[in-house]
Amino acid sequence: MLNKNLLLSLFIFSILMIFTSVIKTQTRLIEKKIYTHEKKLANIKNNLHEAQLDYYYLSSPQFIANKIREYSEKDYESIEYYRIYFSFEEFLSEGRKISEIKNNEKKIQK
Amino acid sequence: MKKKYKNNKKFNPNQKSFYFEDYLETNYKQKKISKSLISEDRVYILFFFFFCLMTIFAIKITFVSLQAPQFLEIKKNNLNFLSLRRDVVDRNGELISRNIKAYHAAVKPNLIKDKQKFLLNIKINFPEISQEKLKNNLSKNKWFYLKKRLTEEERNKFWLMGDKAIELESYQSRIYPHGNLYSHILGQIDDDNYGISGVESYFDRELKDLKKISRPLSLTLDTNIQYLIQNELEKATKDFSTNGAAGLLMSAKTGEVLSLVSLPNYNINLRKNINNDIFANKITKSQYELGSIFKTFTIALALDENLLEPESIVNDITKNIKCSKYVISDTHEFSSSMRVDEILIQSSNVGAVKIAEKVGEIKFRNFLNKLNLLNMSKIELDEVSTPKKLKWNKCKLETVSFGHGIMTTPIQAAAAYATISNGGYRIEPTLKKNIIKSPRKNKKIISSETSAKMNTMLRKVVTDKKGTASMANIFGYQVGGKTGTAQNYERKNENINTFISVFPIQDPNYVLLVLLDDPKAAPDIIYNYKGKNITNINRNEAGWNAVYVAGKIIKKIGPILAINNEEFHNKYVVKKSN
């Protein structure tokens, strides 16, 4: 009886021990993978951090204006307010209006 | 006999023979049993110890498992660049300040194998490093910095040298991708990551808050507008040969500062000590007598007190007035009777004095106080000056009525103009986004009616034939404003020219201030004056320079502001087809 109980507990313990070691090994492998991915992610993040800085420098108005001056003699000119449209529909309706005005002018001339 | 046995409880009637116990054998058996019990106990004890050991291990494993995320975190931290300071972005999310990883080069002299070779290597790659100093440092045989703040190219050179004695020590450096553009706003940090000027100093604690480290600090500034204003002011500095210039664009309703430019500026990435006064922030730190722009406040108070109306006639406008030892006069002769709005439009000093005298000194003083012109501005910068205490002695009322004898910072004047034009609500200029309260919750300084009347008059300064600011009449933007041409308090032969504009005047959204420090006449400039191109102008009043510059700025930034504000566009921008 005694031996039976002992054997049973030892058996259960051994099984659990094996399971634990297997799970631990698997977890370690997963951990390694996670670490590798995190390393990659960190590299990407660091690159993004530097790329963002480059982007904001290269797209700064001063840099762009200098480049314009380098390649052409034109200075920066702001868009006239009447050329600003908030939607494509607005642009089309204005286009229709202008064409109507032109048609009417042609009719009057005839 | 039978009876006798029957009474005996131990008597067994079925027993047919006697049982003789062998005590020797029984003792042996008992000994055996007791021995087996002892060994069983030992096994139990052993098992107990084993169990305890396993429990300890289990607890330890559990503890390690719980600790694991932190352990991983340390690993992660080594991988990721963890900024010690938050980014700063403008109102559109454009990056204007960020920490990056940079390097210093240091030397461990005890690791140098051949000193001559080492010195030669350094001489070839870095001829700017003094060989004498280097030799001297090497002779001390102690760790020292060879070169601080390496550029990427320098770092690669050191790396390629491959000398064990050279140590590349990493540190965090602050980078400003826009260079000069925000030099007077952002300020700088020192080598130990402490903000020492500007926004970096004012928001130092907030910028170093590790809980918010991933979230950038948003400012109210707009990079594109800032550049356009700076660009126009730089041109103006050349065109009018000024000592310096300044510009400020602010929301008239909320006090949000969209642009703050002060020239000359400097590249904040170079981290040089700047002690020359010329580099002071002209908008918040320098104080000026801003001249005629004060007439707006004098008239606004008279209107608000119901003493006068814009159409009221002010009589006895003489060529000059004597006040104690001072003679107050106008730049040119005006008629002896002028309407209140004409006094503002044509900028009559004597007219302003007459109005101030009707208001009285105490009311005028209180009004300036309410407009925050006598106190320090509360903008989020360290470089803000405290106004000099005003002594209200003889003639002070008269001189202050047209902006002389009173020193203010341009930002105070612009904020006061915002209050006059936004319906009378006091505003505080601010650089931090998302802390704006509704202006209607602010203290009301003048009535909405007075504000509307003042806006009409300010518009006339730009549109009227005799107005002093006609070159700021940019079509579509309904500009109003007031010019100021004043003597420099410290250098009497120099002028400070100012133009404060407000637009669109029906419902003012923006206040733009342009200040030029001693502009000269620019005869080469072709002015578009009331629809005609004119040149060879030898005048240097604000109307011929500050207004001209403000007009050019509004023309350039107008579309950007209109894009940002659909209501403004729909309401005020006239379409081509109409």
Side-chain angles (χ1 to χ4, degrees):
Chain A
M1 190 69 186
L2 171 78
N3 288 343
K4 263 187 182 177
N5 280 341
L6 249 174
L7 280 172
L8 188 71
S9 19
L10 279 171
F11 177 73
I12 292 168
F13 183 79
S14 313
I15 294 237
L16 286 175
M17 192 111 154
I18 291 161
F19 267 112
T20 313
S21 65
V22 169
I23 291 165
K24 189 70 192 164
T25 315
Q26 290 298 318
T27 321
R28 180 74 195 132
L29 288 173
I30 294 166
E31 236 173 49
K32 270 185 183 175
K33 275 183 188 172
I34 292 170
Y35 180 69
T36 317
H37 286 301
E38 266 169 2
K39 212 172 166 181
K40 280 180 190 171
L41 197 68
N43 268 335
I44 292 166
K45 271 185 185 173
N46 289 344
N47 287 343
L48 178 73
H49 188 81
E50 281 172 23
Q52 269 181 342
L53 198 70
D54 287 346
Y55 166 75
Y56 284 114
Y57 169 70
L58 295 172
S59 65
S60 69
Q62 193 152 12
F63 187 86
I64 291 170
N66 287 341
K67 281 286 161 201
I68 291 170
R69 263 180 237 128
E70 208 178 305
Y71 294 112
S72 81
E73 287 174 5
K74 279 184 182 174
D75 196 10
Y76 164 81
E77 276 178 24
S78 55
I79 190 166
E80 292 292 334
Y81 52 80
Y82 58 78
R83 286 166 62 191
I84 299 167
Y85 302 96
F86 289 111
S87 63
F88 187 59
E89 285 73 34
E90 197 184 357
F91 172 75
L92 288 178
S93 72
E94 197 141 310
R96 267 182 235 119
K97 274 186 198 173
I98 292 167
S99 58
E100 270 175 34
I101 293 165
K102 280 182 182 171
N103 287 339
N104 288 340
E105 277 173 2
K106 277 180 188 173
K107 278 179 190 173
I108 292 163
Q109 278 173 0
K110 280 177 185 176
Chain B
M1 184 76 178
K2 272 186 181 178
K3 273 184 186 175
K4 196 180 172 185
Y5 285 115
K6 270 180 188 173
N7 294 333
N8 191 346
K9 282 178 187 173
K10 288 180 183 175
F11 175 74
N12 185 359
N14 298 325
Q15 191 176 324
K16 287 176 180 174
S17 63
F18 292 100
Y19 169 72
F20 296 99
E21 191 175 55
D22 184 349
Y23 286 102
L24 278 172
E25 197 184 337
T26 313
N27 285 343
Y28 173 75
K29 274 182 181 174
Q30 272 177 348
K31 268 184 185 176
K32 214 176 177 182
I33 289 163
S34 71
K35 266 187 180 177
S36 75
L37 280 172
I38 289 166
S39 64
E40 195 181 327
D41 284 349
R42 280 175 184 165
V43 169
Y44 276 130
I45 289 165
L46 209 72
F47 188 78
F48 173 74
F49 278 116
F50 187 68
F51 180 76
C52 285
L53 207 72
M54 288 316 293
T55 315
I56 291 164
F57 278 125
I59 291 166
K60 182 69 186 170
I61 288 166
T62 317
F63 181 72
V64 169
S65 310
L66 288 171
Q67 291 293 307
Q70 276 181 19
F71 165 72
L72 278 176
E73 203 62 42
I74 294 161
K75 268 193 170 178
K76 260 191 236 169
N77 291 354
N78 290 336
L79 292 172
N80 274 331
F81 167 72
L82 282 182
S83 180
L84 296 172
R85 218 172 163 81
R86 289 164 70 190
D87 289 348
V88 181
V89 295
D90 76 351
R91 65 187 301 112
N92 304 317
E94 184 121 345
L95 188 78
I96 54 179
S97 176
R98 170 172 278 184
N99 266 26
I100 59 153
K101 199 174 182 178
Y103 294 88
H104 297 310
V107 178
K108 290 176 182 167
N110 54 337
L111 292 180
I112 299 174
K113 285 180 184 170
D114 186 343
K115 278 194 183 178
Q116 289 306 318
K117 198 181 166 188
F118 179 81
L119 284 166
L120 192 70
N121 258 340
I122 296 291
K123 197 178 180 180
I124 293 165
N125 287 300
F126 301 94
E128 70 279 6
I129 295 175
S130 161
Q131 288 281 305
E132 273 182 38
K133 271 189 183 177
L134 188 56
K135 276 179 194 171
N136 196 24
N137 282 330
L138 287 175
S139 65
K140 288 174 191 167
N141 218 24
K142 280 182 183 172
W143 186 95
F144 66 93
Y145 281 116
L146 182 62
K147 201 167 180 20
K148 281 190 164 187
R149 303 185 173 282
L150 303 179
T151 61
E152 194 65 25
E153 199 183 341
E154 286 170 339
R155 187 193 153 216
N156 287 339
K157 269 187 187 177
F158 276 119
W159 190 261
L160 288 170
M161 277 171 72
D163 202 315
K164 277 183 182 176
I166 295 170
E167 188 185 42
L168 292 173
E169 189 191 71
S170 72
Y171 73 100
Q172 290 206 8
S173 179
R174 198 83 165 147
I175 289 286
Y176 306 94
H178 299 287
N180 297 31
L181 197 63
Y182 290 113
S183 55
H184 287 283
I185 308 167
L186 291 179
Q188 296 187 54
I189 63 162
D190 64 8
D191 287 342
D192 300 320
N193 199 28
Y194 286 100
I196 49 171
S197 57
V199 162
E200 295 281 13
S201 170
Y202 192 91
F203 292 112
D204 193 39
R205 196 182 281 180
E206 221 172 300
L207 285 167
K208 286 196 289 193
D209 188 351
L210 291 175
K211 285 177 192 166
K212 296 178 186 171
I213 208 82
S214 57
R215 275 180 283 155
L217 176 78
S218 293
L219 300 183
T220 56
L221 301 157
D222 186 309
T223 302
N224 295 321
I225 291 174
Q226 176 83 359
Y227 172 72
L228 291 173
I229 294 179
Q230 178 173 296
N231 195 30
E232 281 308 322
L233 289 175
E234 277 171 348
K235 277 184 197 166
T237 307
K238 281 179 195 162
D239 290 345
F240 301 106
S241 314
T242 66
N243 294 336
L248 173 76
L249 181 73
M250 192 169 75
S251 163
K253 287 176 181 166
T254 61
E256 281 190 344
V257 174
L258 279 87
S259 166
L260 192 159
V261 180
S262 179
L263 298 177
N265 54 19
Y266 48 92
N267 189 347
I268 33 180
N269 290 314
L270 298 178
R271 295 163 195 279
K272 282 182 180 169
N273 277 334
I274 291 156
N275 302 315
N276 198 334
D277 281 350
I278 203 166
F279 290 101
N281 188 333
K282 289 181 173 59
I283 295 290
T284 61
K285 187 75 179 165
S286 303
Q287 293 185 34
Y288 303 99
E289 280 189 355
L290 292 174
S292 296
I293 62 153
F294 264 71
K295 287 169 190 163
T296 305
F297 309 136
T298 311
I299 293 169
L301 179 60
L303 260 59
D304 204 51
E305 290 288 325
N306 293 320
L307 297 169
L308 293 166
E309 284 297 318
E311 301 79 27
S312 306
I313 304 289
V314 178
N315 294 313
D316 298 328
I317 298 177
T318 50
K319 277 185 187 173
N320 50 52
I321 302 173
K322 256 200 158 183
C323 182
S324 184
K325 58 179 180 178
Y326 305 105
V327 177
I328 297 166
S329 60
D330 281 314
T331 49
H332 57 280
E333 208 174 310
F334 296 113
S335 69
S336 59
S337 299
M338 289 175 91
R339 279 160 47 129
V340 171
D341 55 359
E342 284 174 343
I343 289 171
L344 190 76
I345 293 161
Q346 296 176 40
S347 199
S348 164
N349 294 342
V350 179
V353 172
K354 293 278 176 195
I355 294 170
E357 280 171 350
K358 285 190 180 179
V359 171
E361 190 187 298
I362 295 167
K363 278 183 184 170
F364 194 57
R365 199 198 302 178
N366 288 340
F367 185 62
L368 295 184
N369 211 19
K370 279 183 197 168
L371 282 174
N372 208 23
L373 287 164
L374 306 177
N375 310 313
M376 202 169 94
S377 186
K378 282 181 188 166
I379 192 158
E380 298 94 345
L381 288 175
D382 281 351
E383 295 77 19
V384 180
S385 65
T386 316
K388 285 172 188 165
K389 245 191 170 179
L390 206 62
K391 282 182 184 171
W392 288 85
N393 47 21
K394 247 187 177 181
C395 290
K396 206 65 184 176
L397 172 73
E398 285 79 0
T399 55
V400 172
S401 70
F402 62 94
H404 288 255
I406 182 167
M407 306 271 282
T408 46
T409 56
I411 198 162
Q412 284 175 289
Y417 263 72
T419 302
I420 297 286
S421 59
N422 71 8
Y425 297 96
R426 183 163 147 174
I427 58 114
E428 298 283 0
T430 182
L431 283 168
K432 198 180 175 189
K433 213 181 161 192
N434 299 332
I435 54 160
I436 308 303
K437 295 180 286 179
S438 162
R440 304 225 175 268
K441 285 178 186 169
N442 291 353
K443 200 176 172 186
K444 203 164 167 70
I445 310 294
I446 56 167
S447 68
S448 306
E449 293 75 36
T450 308
S451 175
K453 285 172 192 170
M454 285 310 300
N455 287 343
T456 311
M457 280 195 272
L458 289 173
R459 175 76 182 135
K460 281 182 183 172
V461 174
V462 175
T463 55
D464 198 276
K465 275 182 183 176
K466 289 179 180 174
T468 53
S470 52
M471 267 183 280
N473 192 14
I474 307 302
F475 182 66
Y477 297 106
Q478 310 283 330
V479 184
K482 182 74 190 89
T483 54
T485 306
Q487 252 183 7
N488 191 319
Y489 183 75
E490 285 161 354
R491 298 180 294 272
K492 298 286 179 196
N493 55 339
E494 292 180 6
N495 277 356
I496 296 292
N497 289 6
T498 319
F499 178 57
I500 303 183
S501 53
V502 180
F503 59 98
I505 209 74
Q506 285 93 336
D507 186 17
N509 260 344
Y510 303 102
V511 173
L512 172 72
L513 177 142
V514 171
L515 181 143
L516 301 178
D517 185 352
D518 195 34
K520 319 285 183 307
D524 297 336
I525 286 182
I526 301 163
Y527 292 102
N528 189 328
Y529 186 69
K530 290 168 187 170
K532 287 177 190 171
N533 284 342
I534 55 167
T535 187
N536 214 14
I537 302 294
N538 277 304
R539 294 176 68 174
N540 70 341
E541 294 95 336
W544 296 99
N545 39 61
V547 175
Y548 169 76
V549 176
K552 283 174 81 177
I553 290 172
I554 293 168
K555 202 170 185 181
K556 283 199 171 176
I557 65 169
I560 298 174
L561 297 174
I563 290 165
N564 288 344
N565 188 343
E566 197 168 337
E567 189 188 26
F568 168 84
H569 188 274
N570 290 339
K571 202 169 174 183
Y572 302 109
V573 175
V574 184
K575 291 281 175 69
K576 194 179 183 180
S577 57
N578 291 339

